[in-house]
Amino acid sequence: MLLLLLACTGGKPAVDADLDGVTALADCEDADGQISPNAAEIPYNGHDDDCDPSTPDDDLDLDGFNAADECDDADSSVSPESPEIWYDGTDQDCDGNDDDQDADGYALGEDCDDLNARVSPTATELWYDGTDQDCDGNDDDQDADGFVFADDCDDLDATIFPAATELWYDGIDQDCDDRDDDQDAD
């Protein structure tokens, strides 16, 4: 009779050895009263407390990544394979970066073009190319005298610009009017 009963129950006796109210047929660990289909899953303790492999002990948000491999196990929209939504304060792809899209080391508030890694406050300026590589707001006034290249006859010398005071007959056209040797303009 016992053999017939064991055969009908898959080899497990129809008893409740751990006295948790669940027989060995339904209890995944009938030797431990804390583990049964009636128990709540206790996260990260290394046991399947509720006898339900679909609620893993180390993947609470059920996104397929255990807590050791992701940065927020309570949010299923966050995992190493999630697409990043930039500048929202959440690191969806767990790479430690939510505010530096071009990964140049400067966040959006510091970087004048966060989609171009060649543009940042420490980049070298390539003058007059239409791009402000160093984020200083200046691409066309290299000598920073207040006059852009198109209006300045020497954009490498801050003492030479259209509003400069001319020093007559010194061989330098400080005020960019093409005359250094004709003070009276006659």
Side-chain angles (χ1 to χ4, degrees):
M1 177 77 168
L2 178 62
L3 289 176
L4 182 58
L5 180 63
L6 288 174
C8 291
T9 61
K12 290 186 174 183
V15 294
D16 181 10
D18 58 13
L19 304 175
D20 62 2
V22 180
T23 65
L25 293 172
D27 197 339
C28 62
E29 183 59 62
D30 198 36
D32 187 336
Q34 302 298 314
I35 298 175
S36 80
N38 298 331
E41 184 63 48
I42 300 171
Y44 316 117
N45 69 353
H47 302 288
D48 182 12
D49 303 294
D50 63 0
C51 294
D52 182 359
S54 69
T55 56
D57 177 60
D58 60 353
D59 183 15
L60 299 184
D61 59 9
L62 303 175
D63 63 2
F65 291 91
N66 64 40
D69 296 329
E70 71 169 294
C71 53
D72 187 351
D73 197 34
D75 186 345
S76 63
S77 69
V78 174
S79 77
E81 292 182 0
S82 295
E84 185 64 51
I85 300 169
W86 292 101
Y87 320 114
D88 69 346
T90 301
D91 180 17
Q92 284 87 3
D93 62 5
C94 296
D95 70 354
N97 180 16
D98 176 59
D99 58 358
D100 182 11
Q101 191 167 353
D102 61 10
D104 62 2
Y106 292 92
L108 179 64
E110 306 166 309
D111 195 339
C112 58
D113 184 352
D114 203 39
L115 298 177
N116 186 343
R118 294 178 302 204
V119 174
S120 73
T122 56
T124 301
E125 185 64 50
L126 302 174
W127 293 99
Y128 322 115
D129 68 348
T131 301
D132 179 17
Q133 283 88 1
D134 62 4
C135 295
D136 69 355
N138 180 14
D139 177 58
D140 54 2
D141 183 11
Q142 190 168 354
D143 60 10
D145 60 8
F147 290 87
V148 298
F149 175 74
D151 299 329
D152 195 337
C153 58
D154 187 348
D155 203 37
L156 297 177
D157 188 334
T159 64
I160 299 173
F161 55 90
T165 301
E166 183 65 50
L167 301 175
W168 296 102
Y169 315 109
D170 66 351
I172 299 171
D173 181 19
Q174 284 89 0
D175 64 2
C176 297
D177 67 358
D178 288 328
R179 54 186 193 93
D180 175 57
D181 55 359
D182 185 12
Q183 188 172 3
D184 61 5
D186 62 358

